[in-house]
């Protein structure tokens, strides 16, 4: 914890300053609550949309990977949803490209 009055860092699980006795505030840089990885989320949904129309094997796998990173870094529920959509995008994109061009690569 960071005490803005005395400018000192305190032990993590205390809320009272060791030097002056005032209640400490949480420092801006401490404790991010796992809200990182927004770029993985954005790229995952972008790769999902691309996998529906262009090289579904590559972009579907990339979307699944971004979903895994989202699961690990940001939100477990959103990561699972993104991985499920990536799997569906890979399958639907593959079927669509096979119907249109006769190959799995469009």
């Amino acid at each position: 914890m960071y005490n803005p009055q005395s400018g000192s860092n305190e032990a993590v699980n205390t809320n009272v300053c060791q030097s002056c006795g005032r209640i400490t505030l949480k420092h801006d840089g401490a404790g991010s609550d796992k809200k990182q990885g927004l770029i993985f989320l954005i790229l995952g949904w972008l790769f999902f949309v691309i996998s529906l129309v262009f090289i579904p094997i590559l972009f579907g796998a990339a979307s699944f990977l971004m979903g895994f990173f989202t699961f690990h870094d940001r939100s477990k529920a959103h990561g699972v949803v993104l991985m499920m959509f990536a799997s569906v995008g890979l399958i639907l994109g593959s079927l669509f490209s096979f119907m249109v061009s006769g190959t799995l690569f469009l």
Side-chain angles (χ1 to χ4, degrees):
M1 300 289 238
Y2 177 73
N3 184 353
Q5 302 292 334
S6 65
S8 63
N9 288 321
E10 302 300 323
V12 175
N13 290 329
T14 64
N15 61 353
V16 177
C17 180
Q18 300 288 328
S19 59
C20 68
R22 292 182 185 228
I23 296 177
T24 58
L25 302 173
K26 202 176 223 184
H27 186 50
D28 293 335
S32 63
D33 295 327
K34 294 185 91 170
K35 293 298 180 192
Q36 305 163 351
L38 186 61
I39 191 71
F40 298 139
L41 188 63
I42 294 168
L43 284 176
W45 286 111
L46 179 68
F47 289 158
F48 163 70
V49 171
I50 294 172
S51 75
L52 293 174
V53 292
F54 186 70
I55 311 177
I57 294 173
L58 176 70
F59 286 106
S63 178
F64 189 86
L65 188 63
M66 293 300 121
F68 177 76
F69 289 149
T70 300
F71 177 84
H72 179 65
D73 288 343
R74 186 169 174 83
S75 167
K76 293 191 183 309
H78 205 150
V80 168
V81 168
L82 184 55
M83 287 188 283
M84 287 186 340
F85 270 84
S87 301
V88 169
L90 189 129
I91 293 168
L92 288 178
S94 297
L95 288 173
F96 177 70
S97 67
F98 186 73
M99 288 183 343
V100 170
S101 65
T103 66
L104 291 178
F105 301 106
L106 180 67

